[in-house]
Each structure stands twice: as structure tokens, then as C-alpha cells.
Amino acid sequence: WSKRDFPWTKELEVNNRRYFGNHSFRPNQREIINATMSGHDVFVLMPTGGGKSLTYQLPAVCGPGVTLVVSPLVSLIMDQIMHLSEANIPAAYLSGNMDWSEQQEILNELNSQYCTYKLLYVTPEKIARSDYLFRNLESLHRRELLARIVIDEAHCVSQWGHDFRLDYQGLGVLKQKFPTVPLMALTATATLSVKEDVVQVLGLTKCIIFRQTFNRPNLRYAVLPKAKKCIEEINNFIKERHRDESGIIYCFSRNDCEKLAEQLREFGHKAAYYHANMDPDERTSVQRRWSKDEVNIICATVAFGMGINKPDVRFVIHHSLPKSIEGYHQESGRAGRDNLPASCILYYNYGDYIRVKSLLTQGNVEQSTGARLTINSGTQLSTNIDNLRRMLGYCQNDADCRRSLQLSHFGEKFDASSCKKTCDNCSRMVTYVEEDVTGRALQLVQLISSMGQSFSLSHIIDVYRGSMSQQIKKHMHDRQELHGAGKSLSKGMVERVLHRMVYDNMLREDISKSDLYGSISSILKVNENQVTELRSGKIRLIIKVPEKR
Ligand code: ADP
């Protein structure tokens, strides 16, 4: 797709300069544009800051007709419209909170014979609930003016993602109604299961997938124990390493944001807070002061996120446990978008895990933390808890490369030797020894098989370590031959062995939606081919463990 002999190649280059001021393309941009302009559906996985917007905005100005863009947040849309208007590209948006006459004006323009808009942004609920919009889209399509459909932040489609939105589920209707219009799904965050979900829900069966590495070589990662004096550590860290530089501190609750900002101001920093409970003007003002460097540090809930486009963020600190590895990758990814070195520090204690988990269980995350999570069903809850559990595993792991851990979550293999000591685990002075856990792995395979290959990772860990929980008794797994066979191992260690087995393809995580009650769970199944090799001794499973002195 990077071949230069497309009829529009010259025009792309000219317009890339003229409208966007770019002198070249970033990785994959040209390929994606060529594929969509050739009429293919595309699925784009590109890290935050990679330049996804250009991949649909440039085709929009190069061809006739209107590009429909579905985007989840009005603030994101406004930001895009502002950039487009600065670039003299006619664009409009429709959202539920506009008054009717405003909407009517836009719909009239869409209906006019020579509609001038190049892009029309809508929020997903507009697609789900506005017949009127649909009739206008159909009319555009009949007049051959519906050029392309773009689903931004496409991971919101999936219940497996960290940011599921119910209205996104209805977007499958777009491909059904307009099968010949090229569709683009864009996201900065998708695991394999999210990707499969998105492809299926949106009906992108023949799409071309573009993905690039999610590794961010300029970011340094560390997980630190969170103790009472954590605020002093943060103060010293900022004073010594990032004095007067921009940073974000993600906090658990609105209260924490305000308290932390106050403490940092007492230490002499220019800090402000940002959360969903503030009125919109106040929020915009904080964001603007931060963009202009009048404030350096923002203490925020995850409400501060999507659409943040400040290139010189030098540090992102998590003062509380992120809710998923995807979420963490995206939040920490707001650091160093200018490709210069930046630090990502995560403060962790087990208490925070319990705190987040109990809030998830009570379903009131939205109220108390301003998080954009939508808790709407048992299904969603079990996915969220599963995502949180993986995050816990990440924090508890003090041996494996942080990059490898994050990237394997996105189905990407990363050779830890390329980390070059830019994460805490790779730069630790502890010496590690290699431990052969092949025997343990084979026991786990036997256990999984004898339980019928229909249980989750945490259930398997519990049986292997000999738990006598109600759940285990209910399934009579306390009578399994290997119940308790791993009781000398820590939970984290068993989890590491299982994660490695998934990573090495000996086990796979199957998403089961077929349950009678409609619940979803992630179930570990055995990949016989790989396991046969393990049994025969052809391959062995080795993991790094700290040397015992
Ligand atoms: P994403 O949506 O993938 O997070 P954006 O589309 O917001 O990324 O782009 C991030 C930044 O990169 C923007 O400031 C944009 O202007 C810039 N950018 C995108 N493509 C190019 C390019 N080809 N050359 C230079 N800058 C670019």
C-alpha cells in the first residue's frame, strides 16, 4: 500500500502540506490512506499521537462527498472541528445536546445539492437514536456524497475494552445500511479479543488491518510501592527531575485530586486539579492554563484524557491503580508525545486494588472517581474485574520487562533485551536466575484439562494453590488430584507461569459468550500442539526469578 503509483498520490502530498502543514507521512499513514481511498474497509491500530486523524481527514479533502465520523465525546469533536476550521476545512458536528434549530441548519446543508461539508462528526447516540440523521445519510448516499464512514476510538465497541460504550454496539448498522461505503475503524488500544469484537460488531469481515508497534521507546516505566510518604517522594522526584515541567498525576477520586494538588502547591509547585465534578468552564480553563504552561501539574481522574494533545508532558504518575493495562498504556502514553524522554511512574499497593475492585463491584465508579466506565451488566463487571486483575499482575511482577508485559497484552512480542534498562525491572540490581517451571506448567495443563477446560485463570490459580472457597467446593474442585499441588507457590508466581503459557501459545484465553445466562468470561484452554512439544521435552518453560541469597 505504500506504492507511489496511485492516481491520488500527488494530490495527497500537495494537500498534506497545504491543509495540514506536513512535509511527510508518519509510519502507516500513506498505506492506510491508499487502502481507504481504494475503497477497502480498514482497521487501524496506532498508538496515541501516531497521527490517526490525518488518515481520514486527508482523504476527506482529496475526494468528493462527506466523511461521516463517529466520535465518543463532544469535547474531542470540538477539538477536531477547531483544528479543521483553522485549516480551512469545512466541517460540522451533530450531538444530542444541540438545540433543534442548530441541528436543522446542519441537516439542511447536508440536504443541499452541493453540500459543502467535508466532514460531519456525530456522537454514537445520534446514530443509535436519530432516524432523521439516518434519512439524511441515506439521501447523501443516494446522491453518491457519502464518501466514507469513520469510527474513532473503535475499542469503545467492545465489552472487552477498557472503555465500553453501549451506543457503540449499535454502530454495526452502518455497514449493513451502507455496505459499499468504505469504513475505517480507528483505535489506539486493542487487545486481540477487542480487535475481534470490533471487527465482528462493525461487520468489517474483509477489512485490511494496519497495526504498528505500541512500544514507546522514549518512555521509562517504573512501579513503586505506595506508602504514606508517597507525596514527599513525588515532590522530590518532580523537584529533582522535572522542575517546572509538565506532568499529569492520575488519582483515584475527586477528593484525592484536590488534596494532592493542594499538597503540591504547598511544596511550591504550580498544580491544579481536574475531575468530572467541576463545571465545564472550570475544566476548560484548567486545561487551557495547562496547555499554556501557566500550570505545570494536573492532578486528575481519568476524566482528563482523550483528546489531550500536549506534546511536552515529561511525566505521568499514577497515584492509584489504573483499571486495565490498556487504560494504563493510554494514560501513560500521554507522556512524551514529542518523542523526547519522559517518565511513567505507577504507585501501587494492594489496598488500592481492593478499593478499585470493591467500587467496580458496587458499580459506582462513575460517581466516586469520575471514571468513564459504564457499568451496565454482570458481563461488563466481570470484564472490568478481569482487566483490573491483569493490572494487578503487572504491578506485582518485579522480574519481567515492563514493555514486554504491556506489549504482550496487545498481542505483540517484545524482546526484553531491546528495553535497554528503561524500565525498573530491567534496570534492577537484583540478580535473577532462570527457573525451569516445565513441571509446574504440565501440572497446570493436567489440572485445566481435568476440570473440563472451562474455568478462568483466577479459578485455576485458586484450585492449584489449594483454596477451599465456596466456588471451588461448589464445583468439587477440592477433590481434584492436583488441588493444592501448588500451595508452596505465591499467587503471583502461578499467575506468571500461566501468563507465560498464554504468551507462548500453550494456553489460550477463550472468550465465552455462550453461557446460558449470557455472561462472558475469559476461559483458559489448552493448545495441544504446543503442549505436546512441552511434554516431549522439545521445549521447556523457563522464567526469571530473583536469586535467593
Ligand atoms: P492520534 O489521533 O493518533 O492520537 P493525532 O491525529 O492527534 O494522533 O496526531 C498527533 C499529532 O501528530 C498532531 O499534532 C498532528 O498534527 C501530528 N501529525 C500527524 N501526522 C503528521 C505528519 N505526517 N507529519 C507531522 N505531524 C503529524
Side-chain angles (χ1 to χ4, degrees), residues 353-366:
Y353 167 70
I354 302 293
R355 212 151 60 127
V356 179
K357 189 171 166 191
S358 67
L359 277 170
L360 285 176
T361 320
Q362 290 158 25
N364 60 358
V365 171
E366 186 110 24

Side-chain angles (χ1 to χ4, degrees), residues 11-63:
E11 195 187 356
L12 283 185
E13 276 164 16
V14 170
N15 285 341
N16 194 23
R17 253 195 312 276
R18 182 194 294 162
Y19 287 101
F20 301 95
N22 298 328
H23 296 278
S24 58
F25 288 99
R26 292 216 176 133
N28 274 356
Q29 281 181 327
R30 186 194 291 278
E31 291 80 347
I32 295 162
I33 292 172
N34 285 337
T36 182
M37 288 185 76
S38 304
H40 293 281
D41 293 337
V42 295
F43 185 97
V44 176
L45 276 148
M46 198 187 260
T48 310
K52 286 183 284 300
S53 317
L54 191 83
T55 64
Y56 64 86
Q57 290 174 350
L58 185 52
V61 294
C62 289

Side-chain angles (χ1 to χ4, degrees), residues 218-429:
N218 60 320
L219 303 188
R220 301 184 75 94
Y221 297 98
V223 177
L224 297 176
K226 181 174 166 184
K228 275 219 170 69
K229 58 180 192 336
C230 151
I231 178 67
E232 285 156 38
E233 278 180 36
I234 293 177
N235 168 44
N236 290 336
F237 168 75
I238 298 174
K239 278 199 171 142
E240 283 161 23
R241 306 271 295 275
H242 297 289
R243 189 183 279 270
D244 295 330
E245 292 182 336
S246 275
I248 306 172
I249 305 182
Y250 280 110
C251 305
F252 178 71
S253 65
R254 294 161 188 182
N255 232 347
D256 284 2
C257 295
E258 296 184 11
K259 206 168 96 195
L260 214 67
E262 175 67 41
Q263 286 172 313
L264 287 171
R265 277 198 296 270
E266 281 167 15
F267 280 123
H269 300 283
K270 285 188 275 177
Y273 59 83
Y274 182 108
H275 55 64
N277 213 22
M278 295 154 68
D279 74 55
D281 290 347
E282 216 181 332
R283 282 208 304 252
T284 315
S285 146
V286 170
Q287 200 171 326
R288 195 173 305 125
R289 280 165 56 217
W290 187 64
S291 302
K292 291 189 191 159
D293 293 324
E294 291 166 15
V295 163
N296 301 118
I297 307 162
I298 298 278
C299 300
T301 60
V302 290
F304 187 70
M306 273 195 197
I308 300 297
N309 216 346
K310 195 167 174 15
D312 58 351
V313 177
R314 293 275 68 84
F315 60 93
V316 170
I317 296 175
H318 277 77
H319 184 256
S320 161
L321 192 67
K323 291 171 196 67
S324 64
I325 292 186
E326 284 171 275
Y328 181 60
H329 190 267
Q330 198 162 61
E331 286 147 27
S332 60
R334 297 197 173 107
R337 285 170 79 163
D338 52 9
N339 283 335
L340 297 172
S343 318
C344 305
I345 296 178
L346 196 170
Y347 280 99
Y348 154 76
N349 64 23
Y350 195 76
D352 274 355
Y353 167 70
I354 302 293
R355 212 151 60 127
V356 179
K357 189 171 166 191
S358 67
L359 277 170
L360 285 176
T361 320
Q362 290 158 25
N364 60 358
V365 171
E366 186 110 24
Q367 288 167 27
S368 38
T369 70
R372 285 175 283 99
L373 281 168
T374 323
I375 310 295
N376 59 357
S377 66
T379 303
Q380 188 67 55
L381 177 65
S382 69
T383 309
N384 288 339
I385 289 188
D386 213 41
N387 283 337
L388 181 66
R389 192 187 46 70
R390 284 156 191 260
M391 195 64 233
L392 175 73
Y394 176 89
C395 295
Q396 287 181 333
N397 188 324
D398 56 8
D400 295 316
C401 170
R402 299 275 176 217
R403 291 175 196 281
S404 305
L405 290 171
Q406 284 185 35
L407 297 174
S408 75
H409 190 70
F410 297 107
E412 198 179 320
K413 286 213 173 200
F414 179 82
D415 177 2
S417 65
S418 310
C419 178
K420 304 211 168 27
K421 300 195 173 180
T422 55
C423 80
D424 54 348
N425 285 350
C426 288
S427 55
R428 225 179 276 286
M429 298 306 283

Side-chain angles (χ1 to χ4, degrees), residues 68-72 122-129 133-134 137 149-158 164-178 183-185 198-204:
L68 175 76
V69 187
V70 184
S71 178
V122 297
T123 45
E125 89 276 357
K126 275 271 142 205
I127 300 288
R129 296 189 210 128
L133 170 64
F134 239 96
L137 292 177
I149 298 172
V150 179
I151 315 284
D152 203 5
E153 310 288 352
H155 61 277
C156 297
V157 164
S158 171
F164 170 65
R165 273 141 203 269
L166 203 55
D167 280 328
Y168 260 74
Q169 287 253 306
L171 296 181
V173 71
L174 289 168
K175 194 77 223 166
Q176 285 160 18
K177 293 263 182 184
F178 308 111
L183 198 143
M184 301 177 79
V198 173
V199 165
Q200 198 219 338
V201 172
L202 296 181
L204 295 177

Side-chain angles (χ1 to χ4, degrees), residues 177-194:
K177 293 263 182 184
F178 308 111
T180 54
V181 178
L183 198 143
M184 301 177 79
L186 313 174
T187 177
T189 157
T191 58
L192 291 178
S193 47
V194 169

